[in-house]
Amino acid sequence: MAKRVKLLDVAKAAGVSQGTASNAFGKPDLVRPEVRERIFAAAKELGYRGPHVMARMLRTGKAGALGVVFPDNLEYAFTDPVAIELLRGIGRECAQQGVNVMIISAQNQQQAIAAVNNAAVDAFLVHCYSDNNDIIAAIQRRNQPLISIDTDIAGAAGTVALDDFAAGKNAAQHLLDCGAKRFAILSLQATDHDHFGPMNANRVGAASHRVVRERLAGYHAALAGAGIAPSDVLHVECDNQSDHSAKMTAELLASHPEIDGILGMSDVIAIGAIDAARISGRKVPDDLKVIGIDGIAAGERTDPPLTTMYQDSVEKGRLAAEMALSEAPGKTITLKTTLLLRGSSKPL
Amino acid sequence: MAKRVKLLDVAKAAGVSQGTASNAFGKPDLVRPEVRERIFAAAKELGYRGPHVMARMLRTGKAGALGVVFPDNLEYAFTDPVAIELLRGIGRECAQQGVNVMIISAQNQQQAIAAVNNAAVDAFLVHCYSDNNDIIAAIQRRNQPLISIDTDIAGAAGTVALDDFAAGKNAAQHLLDCGAKRFAILSLQATDHDHFGPMNANRVGAASHRVVRERLAGYHAALAGAGIAPSDVLHVECDNQSDHSAKMTAELLASHPEIDGILGMSDVIAIGAIDAARISGRKVPDDLKVIGIDGIAAGERTDPPLTTMYQDSVEKGRLAAEMALSEAPGKTITLKTTLLLRGSSKPL
DNA sequence: TTGAAAGCGATACCAT
DNA sequence: ATGGTATCGCTTTCAA
């Protein structure tokens, strides 16, 4: 491999200084058209490939890229529909600002830390459920703007989140409005530790995932209004995968046939519940009402289609990217959800 | 903002040379544990954040990232289910190799070229339908390994593609085996220019998209075996979106009620066809058989579920990444499809 | 094992 | 508008 042609070579060949040659590429207005052409000609002649990206980065300190990390989710980022919508919004804003998107990929926590340290980016976007995490610590050590999505991270430059309490409350209220009386909650994991199945008061109290805590609190707030105490509600933790929630739902319906309202803490979970209900012969929404949270496209294609509290995940991602890329972030944005009424529920 | 602590500061504080300090971080084995600890202590003391990524990159010439470009599809990469599966595979292999994934994002061709030139990556992965494209030219100017997915790019270091001819042929043969006699093809765009609606022989001949050419040739090869000439087959180009193909299908079925077999060139397209068929009162698969190509998950949830020629897009992405990251790429990998029989067709 | 010094390739400042 | 030059922060010879 021949030695790389560099700016100095071009400058010499064109009979100008290195600085002028640099300007010809980076700030064309600063150099007389005539000279500029001479420089370009010399560049073409020598086969100069344009300014070296890494050298430029070192000099300017700008990477031109935004790092995106899913600490809970490293290998699943491209599987979870909500994560993909976030990415779509992030990509949109980054495209708009001429910045690339760097996905931090790793197989485990330790590799993720290395990946974070190897990433040439100007800022980080983190989507996660809890903030006590070595990956997050590694990101913070880099001392670059860090915007968190969905979870407050101590010391973050900004946060974009959902009004999860309202989402939960409105979801539960809607099922009450549909006449449901006996509820089951299919919840996301409340802590980083895998734990499936029935949830007790202890685990609820210890829930380290803000999103889970808030949505739960919202559910119970609405149910309390109808005189239903937390202890009257079944509560099961699921993996955020439809297969898994379907299995949990099947068991739940078998052991507790009286259930007539299912609160799914995500659409992915709720979709599994609808599948299980249909298979077990329950009529949705007549015998059983189901509501999710998110509003993913797949919810349109269940049988019946899924009623849900819709959030604009694309916009959430876009806003987070915008914040990360802005000079002075430092706010918290809280987004709202809206009821998206489809077939899995029916108001009285 | 205080001046950044750098390696030299740490070295001085620890009373060692810069080189030794560097080794303490990058090649710990080369430095005596005792000295190493002294260096780390000094680093912690001074608040050293670890080696500067960009400086390291410039020195070593390694970026630790793989660039991914969807030239046809820039803003759209995170919408197309097949692109997402590719990304999943790419992410998996990159994680395995400790490399990050840089998504080149832009709003248009010109910005995309800039984005390519600003990306600090070690190699590029390109998914596209045609190779005569300024973005691709820009990538090639960088003189780094370039692996193309689905399309042969002249000068690429390697290519991972599908046996598209076989996919088309087997798809059409399957519908023949199901008893279909009057066919319509819902095709992907044959050229970079948007063009919807009926396709004529001219456009078929001019098709610059290899994937489209090959699948079409496959369809016609199978149909020829049943004595059906290309001119006996309706052929419409669609945007690769279910809504759009649904609209095209509705028109097609209205004007040509005799159609009993639809060859969808992608699952996204075929899904729209199923929707339109149901809405227009056609019984699938009894009155009308539909087959797609791809095997995306959404195909399981149509009514009826979509029969398709399945390809392993995740593996396709993984293989491409593996090739891009390998020392000596330089091959062409061709993947096969398999018939995935679901409800939208029924063999006699 | 450790130290000294030479780059990696470009940009930005300060003169002119 | 252009030239000269310090500098970005590190890794990697080459010697000792």
Side-chain angles (χ1 to χ4, degrees):
Chain A
M1 185 145 115
K3 206 166 148 26
R4 194 182 214 285
V5 181
K6 50 187 175 184
L7 198 52
L8 185 56
D9 304 325
V10 175
K12 278 181 181 157
V16 299
S17 84
Q18 190 176 180
T20 305
S22 174
N23 284 336
F25 288 97
K27 305 176 177 170
D29 310 342
L30 292 189
V31 47
R32 212 151 21 105
E34 168 197 336
V35 181
R36 204 196 306 150
E37 286 315 317
R38 192 146 40 89
I39 295 173
F40 289 156
K44 178 159 281 179
E45 179 69 24
L46 297 180
Y48 179 62
R49 300 180 187 293
H52 187 104
V53 201
M54 297 167 187
R56 197 222 320 267
M57 278 187 186
L58 173 58
R59 182 61 241 227
T60 63
K62 289 246 144 279
L66 177 61
V68 180
V69 195
F70 294 88
D72 303 318
N73 219 16
L74 289 163
E75 63 247 72
Y76 288 122
F78 293 121
T79 304
D80 178 8
V82 176
I84 290 166
E85 299 209 345
L86 282 172
L87 281 171
R88 209 153 86 220
I90 294 167
R92 189 174 293 170
E93 182 64 23
C94 286
Q96 151 97 20
Q97 301 211 23
V99 160
N100 289 320
V101 178
M102 176 91 95
I103 313 265
I104 308 302
S105 58
Q107 290 179 318
N108 57 48
Q109 181 129 326
Q110 191 189 331
Q111 286 180 20
I113 292 170
V116 163
N117 288 324
N118 281 326
V121 299
D122 298 315
F124 283 95
L125 234 48
V126 178
H127 174 92
C128 60
Y129 289 119
S130 72
D131 66 346
N132 61 341
N133 183 304
D134 292 347
I135 300 175
I136 292 173
I139 296 170
Q140 294 188 300
R141 229 171 286 130
R142 299 222 4 186
N143 212 34
Q144 293 183 295
L146 158 57
I147 304 297
S148 61
I149 302 177
D150 276 354
T151 296
D152 257 318
I153 295 182
T159 299
V160 181
L162 205 62
D163 185 342
D164 289 292
F165 179 86
K169 185 169 176 189
N170 293 337
Q173 185 59 53
H174 173 69
L175 289 204
L176 287 168
D177 295 345
C178 294
K181 303 238 183 301
R182 312 292 310 226
F183 288 86
I185 295 171
L186 293 177
S187 154
L188 290 162
Q189 298 283 308
T191 66
D192 288 340
H193 249 48
D194 276 2
H195 175 278
F196 304 131
M199 189 151 175
N200 55 38
N202 263 352
R203 278 191 63 76
V204 173
S208 60
H209 293 181
R210 191 197 64 86
V211 166
V212 175
R213 265 193 334 256
E214 293 287 314
R215 293 183 184 179
L216 272 183
Y219 290 153
H220 288 307
L223 296 179
I228 301 176
S231 54
D232 298 334
V233 180
L234 285 160
H235 186 163
V236 189
E237 273 174 283
C238 299
D239 198 9
N240 193 29
Q241 307 220 63
S242 301
D243 303 6
H244 188 256
S245 65
K247 208 173 123 237
M248 304 300 267
T249 304
E251 290 171 13
L252 211 54
L253 291 176
S255 56
H256 298 273
E258 74 279 12
I259 292 171
D260 61 0
I262 290 188
L263 298 161
M265 206 175 275
S266 75
D267 278 3
V268 168
I269 285 178
I271 285 172
I274 290 186
D275 289 343
R278 190 182 52 252
I279 289 169
S280 74
R282 297 304 201 88
K283 289 255 181 290
V284 178
D286 299 327
D287 303 350
L288 180 67
K289 296 109 180 67
V290 180
I291 187 168
I293 297 180
D294 281 335
I296 64 177
E300 297 167 7
R301 291 199 162 275
T302 48
D303 177 20
L306 176 66
T307 291
T308 190
M309 296 304 304
Y310 170 85
Q311 65 163 317
D312 191 341
S313 299
V314 176
E315 178 65 3
K316 188 156 86 177
R318 200 196 61 72
L319 283 168
E322 188 178 50
M323 221 186 237
L325 264 20
S326 90
E327 292 305 319
K331 343 175 232 180
T332 292
I333 295 183
T334 302
L335 300 174
K336 296 280 180 205
T337 48
T338 55
L339 177 66
L340 184 52
L341 182 64
R342 292 195 288 221
S344 69
S345 69
K346 193 170 57 189
L348 291 181
Chain B
M1 186 145 114
K3 206 163 148 28
R4 192 183 216 288
V5 181
K6 48 189 178 185
L7 197 53
L8 184 55
D9 304 325
V10 175
K12 278 180 182 156
V16 299
S17 84
Q18 187 174 187
T20 304
S22 172
N23 284 335
F25 288 96
K27 304 177 176 170
D29 309 342
L30 291 190
V31 47
R32 216 157 11 113
E34 168 197 335
V35 179
R36 204 196 305 150
E37 286 315 317
R38 189 145 42 92
I39 296 173
F40 288 156
K44 178 160 279 180
E45 179 69 24
L46 297 179
Y48 179 62
R49 301 179 187 295
H52 186 104
V53 200
M54 297 166 187
R56 196 225 315 273
M57 278 186 185
L58 174 58
R59 182 60 237 230
T60 62
K62 290 248 145 277
L66 177 60
V68 181
V69 195
F70 294 88
D72 303 318
N73 221 16
L74 289 163
E75 62 246 71
Y76 207 68
F78 293 121
T79 304
D80 179 6
V82 176
I84 290 166
E85 299 210 344
L86 283 172
L87 281 171
R88 208 153 87 220
I90 294 167
R92 187 174 294 170
E93 182 64 23
C94 286
Q96 151 96 21
Q97 301 212 23
V99 161
N100 288 319
V101 178
M102 176 90 96
I103 314 265
I104 308 302
S105 58
Q107 290 179 318
N108 56 50
Q109 181 130 326
Q110 192 189 330
Q111 286 180 21
I113 292 171
V116 163
N117 288 323
N118 281 327
V121 299
D122 298 317
F124 283 96
L125 233 48
V126 178
H127 175 91
C128 60
Y129 289 118
S130 72
D131 66 345
N132 61 339
N133 184 303
D134 293 347
I135 301 175
I136 292 172
I139 297 171
Q140 293 189 299
R141 229 172 287 129
R142 299 224 1 190
N143 213 33
Q144 292 182 297
L146 159 55
I147 303 297
S148 60
I149 302 177
D150 275 353
T151 295
D152 257 317
I153 295 182
T159 298
V160 180
L162 205 64
D163 186 342
D164 289 292
F165 179 85
K169 185 168 176 188
N170 293 338
Q173 186 59 53
H174 174 70
L175 290 204
L176 287 167
D177 295 345
C178 294
K181 303 235 183 305
R182 313 292 309 227
F183 289 86
I185 295 172
L186 294 178
S187 155
L188 289 162
Q189 298 283 308
T191 66
D192 287 340
H193 250 48
D194 276 0
H195 175 278
F196 304 130
M199 191 151 175
N200 56 38
N202 263 351
R203 277 191 62 77
V204 174
S208 60
H209 292 181
R210 191 198 62 87
V211 166
V212 176
R213 264 192 337 256
E214 292 288 313
R215 293 182 184 180
L216 271 183
Y219 290 153
H220 288 307
L223 296 179
I228 301 176
S231 53
D232 298 334
V233 180
L234 286 160
H235 185 163
V236 190
E237 272 173 285
C238 298
D239 198 8
N240 193 29
Q241 309 221 62
S242 302
D243 301 6
H244 189 255
S245 66
K247 206 172 126 238
M248 303 301 264
T249 304
E251 291 171 13
L252 211 55
L253 291 177
S255 58
H256 297 274
E258 75 279 12
I259 291 171
D260 61 0
I262 289 188
L263 298 162
M265 207 175 274
S266 75
D267 278 4
V268 168
I269 286 177
I271 284 172
I274 290 185
D275 290 343
R278 189 182 52 252
I279 289 169
S280 73
R282 297 305 202 87
K283 288 255 180 292
V284 178
D286 300 327
D287 303 350
L288 180 66
K289 297 110 181 66
V290 180
I291 187 169
I293 296 179
D294 283 334
I296 64 177
E300 296 168 7
R301 292 199 162 273
T302 48
D303 176 21
L306 175 66
T307 291
T308 190
M309 296 304 303
Y310 171 85
Q311 65 163 317
D312 190 342
S313 298
V314 176
E315 178 67 2
K316 188 156 85 176
R318 200 196 61 72
L319 283 168
E322 186 179 52
M323 221 186 235
L325 263 22
S326 90
E327 291 306 319
K331 348 174 227 178
T332 291
I333 296 183
T334 303
L335 299 174
K336 296 282 180 203
T337 48
T338 55
L339 178 65
L340 184 52
L341 183 62
R342 292 194 287 222
S344 70
S345 70
K346 193 169 58 186
L348 292 181

